Structures are given as structure tokens and as C-alpha cells.
Amino acid sequence: MEYLYILCLLAPCYATLNNKKFPDDFMFGTATSSYQVEGAWNEDGKGENIWDRLLHTNPNFTVNGDNGDITCNSYHKYKEDVALVKELNVTHYRFSLAWARILPNGHVDQINEAGVQYYKNLITELRANNIEPLVTIYHWDLPQTLQDEGGWPSSDIVDRYADYARLCFSLFGEDVKYWMTFNEPKEFCLQGYGEGTNAPGIKESGTGEYLCAHHVLKAHAKAWHIYEEEFRPTQNGQVGIVLDTNWYEPATDSAEDEIASDTKLQFVFGWYAHPIFKGDYPEVMKNNIQRRSLAQGYAVSRLPEFTPEEIEYVKGTADFLGLNTYSSMLVQPRKYTDVSAMGSEYDSEVEEWYDDSWPKGASPWLVVTPWGIQKLLRWIKNEYNNPRTIITENGYSDYDGTLDDVDRINYIQQYLSGIRDAMDEDGVNVFGYTVWTLIDNLEWVFGFTNKFGLYNVDFNSPNRTRTAKKSVGVYQNIIRTRCLVDDCIDS
Ligand code: NOJ
């Protein structure tokens, strides 16, 4: 084992890589999101979103005061981006629609034709190059007007989102066959409305994140039903959701730590997946939050309740699961449970940490634990009856955007190997993989200091010049051969 570890440090980790071919129809792709790459924040009629507002009024929110005003300038350089996607030879490109570019005030009564045209052009360019568009309807950039009306914690948002989703299906649905309603609701609910570390920066831990999630789940379900009834018969596409989680490894093999692992996965992933794939919130969430809420003096649980009709309405509303996963953490039951502490972290009664020995990326939460992805996929298979799954994000960050990105290459190879192992040994139903991200871009509060791109972007040049990193060649080769090693055996 140590021998293998040394090999992995010295060179691409061939010794441990799976040597079976990926199936011919396995989709390889790459991804971006609107606020992180587009720029043109106020051009051609685009409305203000919550990130525009937050970072203009509070520049200290991000490292170096970086923001998405210009970022990669993809709004003007989308053809160049598509050329890079084409050069990679991927099957698909995952990107998101900026709600405020299409609907400047968030409502469907005022459509910005220039914004609509931008996405039509992008989709046309992708299709012309034989690249399947995978479209995220919401990737964290809520129109500011809707935040002023209450944002995700307000129940009004459900219908606003449903109207917007219907409009997207009708505008772009002839050419889009894979829709994702939301990207990582756990992150934007927890950080946006609980901890206050993402836009809109609201600190209401213990209540805000649960209200946000409740409305996201209803909005997701409504969009799926709209598609099912009004669009599927003619457009024949699929609607899923993108959820994120780490793998949570029990700190020891004790029964308590094993339970802590399951509990943590329920609190992070089951929070969204359970209502959609099984119906209602996980029991452990309902129990813990109810118990702690009452002990804190609340009359009812801080976790909102679904009615029996709502449980049925939300259940079964994903044609596929999009999974974003990068890291693992160790877990054990939380030793000191201060009953007054507020937040879903405390409600889970589990504590988590990174092992110091695990290799790290630039992002403080990114550790290189490829062994975790197989365990996670196996857990999802067992928990949700083996849903059709696409890895919608996975990738590696460094600080300097080096072109000689061997750490990224190792990361991608090893995680793909873990996925291939899980397909082979556990029979998990994974049909695709998507590298985060096409080009270095605005990594939210970390600004331009955490670089995930397959292509480097020179943020000092007005042209935002893109340059291929070494990982481009390696990924091209994996896609061409459908294989992680020099010589694969057929699957
Ligand atoms: C999560 C988000 O979906 C994406 O916006 C972000 O840049 C990457 N993963 C890396 O943090």
C-alpha cells in the first residue's frame, strides 16, 4: 500500500487506476455557472442579482474584493468557450441560466429579449458542435427584487420559480434535453440564509436554512410537474436536481460512529434527496430538530412540515440525480451538545473534521479522498434504490492556475477510477461525469484565488486569455480511449 502511495506521488497513479473501459454511452463533460463566468453584470438589460448587490455593497465579502462584474467575460466570449469545450471532445457542457438576465425583476411580466437571445445563441453554438447542453435553471444568482420580496425563506418564491422554469422550458426546451432545477441547494440555503457566508448573507441559523430548503423542494417539484404535464410529451427531455455532499467516513468502526456517518449523510444529502426519492424528510432530521426545538422553547419544530399531499407531490420528481462531490470528512457523535446552539450542524449532533494527513487543494474544504466516492455512490444506491446518477461536478483547485497541473490530473484520474470501481463492483447507475470547471473563474467568496479550470484564464489581460493546462490533454485522452490506463480491458 505504501509502495502504491509513493507511486501516486511521483506520477499519475496508474498502479491503482481501474483498467476497465467506460461504457460507450457514458457521458464525459465539463461545467460552469452564470455568475462565475459571464460578467456583463449590467449589460443588455440584465437585472441585479443577490451576488451583484452583496459584492458591490460589501466588497470585503470576497478575497481581494473580487466579483463577477467581468470575471471571464463569457457573455462576450461564449463562442471561444464552446470552441474549448469542442476541443476537449466532451459529450456535454453544463452551464446555468442567470434568472435576472432573462427576467430582470424576477417576474415573468418583463422578459429581457437580449438575455434570452444570449442563451439561444449559446445553445445553438453547442448543438452546432454536437455538444449536449445540460442546463441548470438556478445556480445561486437570485434576482435582487425577489430577495427584496423575501427570497427563498418566503413561500411566494415557489410560484415565482415555477413561472421562471416554465418560461425556460418553453424558450429553450426544444434544444435542451437535460434540465437541472437547482444547483447545490444545501449550500445556498445553509450559507445564504443560515450562516450568512454566501449571498444574500443572512444569518438565521437553525431556521433560515430549513425554510429555504422547504421552498426549494416545493419549487423543484412544481417545475418537475410542469415539465411532466406541459412539456415532456413534445420535448421528451429529463428533469433532475443537483445535490452535493461529502462522503462522511466513520472515525472508527464503532457502531456509534457508523450511525453518526449515516446521520450526517441524512442531514446533508437526505435533507433534499429523501423528500424527492422516498417522500418527506428523513426520520432522524424530524426527530432531532423537533426535540431540540422544543428544548429551546419553540412551540413547534424549526423544521417545516410537509402535508401528506405535499409529500406525495414532491416524491418521485427526479428523472435523474446530479451529484456534486469533492471531499470526505471523518465523523463521530458530537460530544458536547449545547442545547441552545442553533444550526443544522448542531441539530445533526454529529461532529466532522478532515484528517490532517489527507492531501489538500487550495479550497479549505477540498481534500483528495478518491476512496470516498465509491463508498458514497454505494450508500446512495442502497438508500434510494439505485437512481440514475450523473456526477455533475468534481474537480481540483490550486492557487496559481499552473499549466503543469499534475495534482488536478491525479485527482481526476483517481476519482474517475473510484466511480468506475463503483459501477463495476457495486452496480451503481452512473451515466456520466462532469469536471468542474471549464475555465478558471470566480470561486465565490474565494474570488479568483481558488482555480479549478481545465483552462487557465489570465484575469490581468482585458482579453481574459484562455490557455490549456496539461489536464486538457489527459482528459481528452480519457474521453478518446474511454480508459484511465494505457491498456484497458473491455467492460
Ligand atoms: C460548487 C458549486 O456548484 C460551484 O459553483 C463551485 O464553484 C464549485 N462547487 C467549487 O466550489
Side-chain angles (χ1 to χ4, degrees):
M1 197 58 209
E2 231 161 68
Y3 165 71
L4 291 181
Y5 183 64
I6 291 166
L7 255 186
C8 293
L9 286 178
L10 295 175
C13 197
Y14 289 125
T16 56
L17 295 178
N18 186 297
N19 68 348
K20 295 220 178 58
K21 278 197 172 171
F22 282 86
D24 287 342
D25 57 357
F26 190 86
M27 295 169 68
F28 288 100
T30 186
T32 57
S33 88
S34 45
Y35 185 71
Q36 295 180 273
V37 301
E38 283 179 5
W41 80 276
N42 61 354
E43 286 183 46
D44 293 346
K46 177 182 162 291
E48 185 189 28
N49 68 41
I50 53 175
W51 282 93
D52 296 324
R53 173 68 64 90
L54 179 72
L55 302 191
H56 290 157
T57 52
N58 190 355
N60 291 337
F61 212 86
T62 57
V63 177
N64 299 328
D66 293 336
N67 64 36
D69 287 4
I70 303 172
T71 179
C72 310
N73 200 15
S74 289
Y75 184 71
H76 295 292
K77 291 172 77 77
Y78 74 91
K79 285 195 180 175
E80 209 180 301
D81 289 348
V82 175
L84 303 181
V85 178
K86 177 74 183 162
E87 176 178 79
L88 278 168
N89 212 12
V90 292
T91 334
H92 66 272
Y93 179 51
R94 173 178 175 240
F95 65 93
S96 75
L97 305 173
W99 191 337
R101 199 177 286 292
I102 298 173
L103 300 173
N105 69 13
H107 295 252
V108 284
D109 59 356
Q110 193 197 328
I111 297 175
N112 177 32
E113 292 305 335
V116 171
Q117 196 55 49
Y118 168 67
Y119 293 114
K120 286 200 165 158
N121 292 344
L122 173 57
I123 293 166
T124 303
E125 190 72 10
L126 288 167
R127 283 264 170 240
N129 285 286
N130 217 4
I131 300 154
E132 187 74 44
L134 265 61
V135 179
T136 313
I137 297 172
Y138 183 80
H139 197 124
W140 303 7
D141 44 0
L142 187 71
Q144 181 62 39
T145 40
L146 294 181
Q147 180 52 40
D148 296 341
E149 291 167 26
W152 289 106
S154 151
S155 59
D156 291 350
I157 195 79
V158 175
D159 285 338
R160 298 295 78 74
Y161 177 87
D163 291 345
Y164 163 55
R166 177 185 284 108
L167 181 70
C168 295
F169 298 145
S170 75
L171 287 170
F172 311 116
E174 258 176 47
D175 292 311
V176 174
K177 299 304 154 199
Y178 293 89
W179 291 100
M180 288 146 292
T181 53
F182 288 96
N183 176 71
E184 298 195 354
K186 181 229 160 194
E187 302 305 333
F188 73 78
C189 284
L190 197 61
Q191 296 182 43
Y193 297 94
E195 295 166 357
T197 49
N198 268 4
I202 291 171
K203 294 191 171 101
E204 297 279 351
S205 271
T207 51
E209 67 267 48
Y210 294 133
L211 271 174
C212 170
H214 203 64
H215 299 136
V216 164
L217 283 160
K218 287 188 185 182
H220 159 82
K222 196 152 189 181
W224 186 89
H225 283 284
I226 287 171
Y227 192 82
E228 177 73 4
E229 280 143 36
E230 301 172 30
F231 297 94
R232 198 191 299 279
T234 51
Q235 297 186 348
N236 207 20
Q238 306 179 38
V239 180
I241 186 167
V242 174
L243 305 179
D244 68 296
T245 183
N246 296 315
W247 167 248
Y248 293 99
E249 175 75 6
T252 70
D253 57 10
S254 72
E256 292 77 14
D257 291 358
E258 302 263 344
I259 292 169
S261 164
D262 194 73
T263 300
K264 189 70 197 178
L265 284 159
Q266 297 295 355
F267 261 84
V268 169
F269 194 75
W271 186 6
Y272 298 89
H274 201 286
I276 293 172
F277 290 97
K278 298 175 100 165
D280 206 359
Y281 292 115
E283 281 303 307
V284 67
M285 283 189 81
K286 292 198 286 185
N287 292 340
N288 282 18
I289 300 169
Q290 162 101 358
R291 176 167 39 77
R292 288 176 57 82
S293 300
L294 298 187
Q296 288 162 342
Y298 285 83
V300 292
S301 177
R302 287 177 279 104
L303 182 69
E305 255 183 57
F306 288 117
T307 64
E309 295 74 34
E310 288 169 345
I311 291 174
E312 283 311 307
Y313 185 74
V314 175
K315 189 170 150 184
T317 56
D319 304 319
F320 65 91
L321 166 69
L323 175 65
N324 289 359
T325 189
Y326 293 81
S327 299
S328 300
M329 298 186 89
L330 293 169
V331 283
Q332 68 185 16
R334 191 176 281 274
K335 298 246 164 54
Y336 310 101
T337 41
D338 171 5
V339 82
S340 66
M342 289 284 275
S344 70
E345 288 286 314
Y346 295 101
D347 289 332
S348 73
E349 299 182 336
V350 172
E351 53 192 338
E352 77 261 14
W353 67 98
Y354 300 103
D355 189 293
D356 283 344
S357 71
W358 295 342
K360 296 177 180 58
S363 314
W365 48 266
L366 199 147
V367 288
V368 186
T369 54
W371 46 267
I373 200 165
Q374 181 173 8
K375 295 185 183 197
L376 175 62
L377 288 168
R378 191 185 302 148
W379 184 87
I380 289 173
K381 176 191 170 188
N382 294 335
E383 191 68 20
Y384 306 109
N385 195 21
N386 208 8
R388 262 170 59 70
T389 301
I390 176 165
I391 310 297
T392 33
E393 279 186 33
N394 178 247
Y396 180 83
S397 60
D398 52 38
Y399 292 106
D400 54 3
T402 176
L403 302 185
D404 188 21
D405 56 342
V406 280
D407 292 335
R408 176 166 301 101
I409 291 170
N410 282 332
Y411 182 99
I412 291 172
Q413 288 176 323
Q414 292 178 59
Y415 275 75
L416 270 170
S417 184
I419 293 165
R420 190 68 193 84
D421 289 344
M423 292 163 69
D424 194 33
E425 293 162 16
D426 304 293
V428 302
N429 194 355
V430 178
F431 67 94
Y433 174 83
T434 317
V435 173
W436 184 266
T437 171
L438 176 66
I439 44 181
D440 292 340
N441 58 48
L442 185 89
E443 179 55 14
W444 307 109
V445 295
F446 300 103
F448 299 112
T449 60
N450 287 190
K451 297 177 191 290
F452 278 89
L454 293 167
Y455 289 84
N456 170 292
V457 174
D458 179 359
F459 290 99
N460 293 319
S461 82
N463 194 33
R464 298 297 192 271
T465 311
R466 281 89 158 127
T467 310
K469 301 180 187 174
K470 208 172 180 178
S471 52
V472 166
V474 173
Y475 197 37
Q476 283 169 328
N477 197 47
I478 293 171
I479 295 168
R480 187 176 55 77
T481 59
R482 317 198 76 73
C483 173
L484 300 171
V485 295
D486 285 341
D487 209 6
C488 258
I489 56 174
D490 282 333
S491 45

